[in-house]
Amino acid sequence: MPFIEMGEEFANAKETPLAPEGQYDLKLHTLSEDKVPGQKNNLVIDIRFETEGYLPMRHWIALPLPEKDARNDQEKGHDPGTTAKTKMLMAKRFCYLFSIPYTDNGFNTDDFLGARARAGVTQSSFTRQDGSEATNNKIILPRLPDEVEAVA
């Protein structure tokens, strides 16, 4: 294959940095219901945030899947319902943090776009399926207040 001319900017191409750990004003700008890449039977709400000058942040809300969650509890020796309850707690924490309306039974993803919050962000390392290491930003979801009510 012959040489491909990319232009002068090719020399300046570099990775967008991760946001340093700290507090950020986040605005939800993209939302989809999807499967986590590389994971089987793992339905999530895939959420993306823009942060000025840094790599866009991504957050997933894992949705309960009764059969898969029960199998996960059994395989890991958890009490029945632990996986589903944890997924629900994380979704509720997200809705509370971003002031997204919810009821005692759930939430409407139509209320997500444009939601804003001042949130803590950290960096988290993980091992990819190919064995390589990667680091990304992770939104810190604070614990719910003791007396939190549905905010529909």
Side-chain angles (χ1 to χ4, degrees), residues 35-133:
K35 293 186 184 259
V36 174
Q39 302 261 339
K40 290 183 182 178
N41 302 321
N42 202 354
L43 191 61
V44 297
I45 300 170
D46 183 357
I47 303 161
R48 296 179 192 229
F49 302 91
E50 289 291 336
T51 47
E52 188 73 29
Y54 300 112
L55 193 65
M57 293 182 199
R58 195 171 188 179
H59 180 81
W60 290 276
I61 295 177
L63 301 176
L65 295 169
E67 290 178 17
K68 181 183 179 293
D69 295 345
R71 202 169 43 250
N72 185 64
D73 289 340
Q74 187 175 24
E75 289 170 1
K76 294 187 175 181
H78 296 313
D79 290 336
T82 298
T83 299
K85 287 176 187 173
T86 300
K87 288 177 176 182
M88 290 181 218
L89 175 60
M90 295 298 112
K92 191 172 185 179
R93 283 180 178 177
F94 183 87
C95 288
Y96 185 81
L97 176 65
F98 283 88
S99 300
I100 294 169
Y102 59 91
T103 69
D104 288 337
N105 296 318
F107 51 85
N108 186 338
T109 56
D110 289 344
D111 296 324
F112 278 45
L113 286 179
R116 295 174 182 266
R118 178 116 180 122
V121 172
T122 187
Q123 292 186 2
S124 178
S125 295
F126 62 97
T127 304
R128 294 182 173 137
Q129 282 189 319
D130 66 4
S132 64
E133 291 290 318

